Amino acid sequence: MAPVEEQSIARRAAPGDVPALARMLARAFLDDPIACWSCPPQALRPAMLERFHATRLRQLMAHGEVWTTPALECAALWAPPGHWRTTVREDLQLAAGVLRPRLLVRAPLVVAGLLGIERRHPAQPAHFYLAVLGTEPARQGRGLGSALLAAVLERCDADGVGAYLESSKERNIDFYARHGFRVSAELRLPRGPRVWPMWREPR
């Protein structure tokens, strides 16, 4: 199938989309290095990821910048300028969704690693933060992610606002680079994988 060429497929997600999008994102991130590091038992990972993404979707949907496709095959979860930092309440919601008895021993390691990533998040200048971009595995490579990115990046360019993300897969760096992002650092999680923060100047 030819890549998607029309940006008109992008639409803002609605609360009723959350269950389907959370399941899709769980499948999309099943082999993600941070997901594997956070939850080594593969049997636990799908449910853990589904709970995590459902919580994050609801949190970011409040800002109106969660984008998806008509068939819910892809999702881009953005935080608008000034809203990228999670609150204590949001952190507790995320923790409640992912912590299970078999994962408690890893909790201090995971928390330390994720806080380390957050500490490297630039406070200024104001920017859009791409918290999550995921596509149904069978639909990857067809331009869906690019279409959803364009929905916000065009606004960044029009308003002169930057954009920021963290790539958890080295092979995704080139994809984001095609949309104007550049690697700004390379981090390594404690006893875990590398992460690449990326910044995009408005065009």
Side-chain angles (χ1 to χ4, degrees):
M1 183 178 294
V4 173
E5 296 181 354
E6 298 295 330
Q7 294 171 204
S8 60
I9 68 163
R11 69 166 177 85
R12 284 184 169 86
D17 299 326
V18 168
L21 288 177
R23 290 191 295 270
M24 180 276 293
L25 289 171
R27 293 188 291 269
F29 283 87
L30 187 62
D31 67 344
D32 180 80
I34 293 181
C36 296
W37 169 77
S38 301
C39 183
Q42 188 169 353
L44 299 181
R45 204 176 306 141
M48 182 274 286
L49 286 170
E50 186 175 338
R51 289 190 298 269
F52 173 85
H53 287 297
T55 301
R56 203 71 183 106
L57 280 160
R58 293 187 182 99
Q59 290 174 349
L60 291 173
M61 203 170 286
H63 301 298
E65 296 297 344
V66 175
W67 291 81
T68 188
T69 56
L72 307 181
E73 305 159 297
C74 186
L77 284 62
W78 292 90
H83 295 281
W84 61 267
R85 194 185 302 275
T86 54
T87 65
V88 172
R89 179 180 180 181
E90 288 172 335
D91 289 338
L92 291 174
Q93 290 171 341
L94 291 167
V98 301
L99 288 182
R100 291 296 180 268
R102 289 178 60 186
L103 300 177
L104 285 177
V105 68
R106 293 189 63 79
L109 185 74
V110 172
V111 169
L114 298 182
L115 287 177
I117 292 175
E118 184 169 336
R119 280 194 294 269
R120 297 296 295 269
H121 192 130
Q124 297 292 334
H127 58 276
F128 275 85
Y129 171 49
L130 181 63
V132 178
L133 175 66
T135 304
E136 183 72 54
R139 298 286 290 164
Q140 293 175 2
R142 305 191 183 194
L144 298 175
S146 293
L148 297 194
L149 285 180
V152 171
L153 294 183
E154 286 191 355
R155 191 159 16 126
C156 288
D157 294 339
D159 296 343
V161 177
Y164 178 79
L165 60 84
E166 297 109 0
S167 178
S168 55
K169 288 185 177 180
E170 188 170 11
R171 69 171 185 256
N172 289 342
I173 291 176
D174 287 343
F175 166 76
Y176 290 120
R178 291 197 296 273
H179 294 279
F181 288 90
R182 298 292 179 265
V183 173
S184 57
E186 180 177 309
L187 313 178
R188 184 174 289 278
L189 294 170
R191 300 203 300 272
R194 293 177 293 171
V195 179
W196 293 269
M198 302 185 74
W199 177 266
R200 181 186 186 273
E201 290 287 347
R203 293 174 173 173

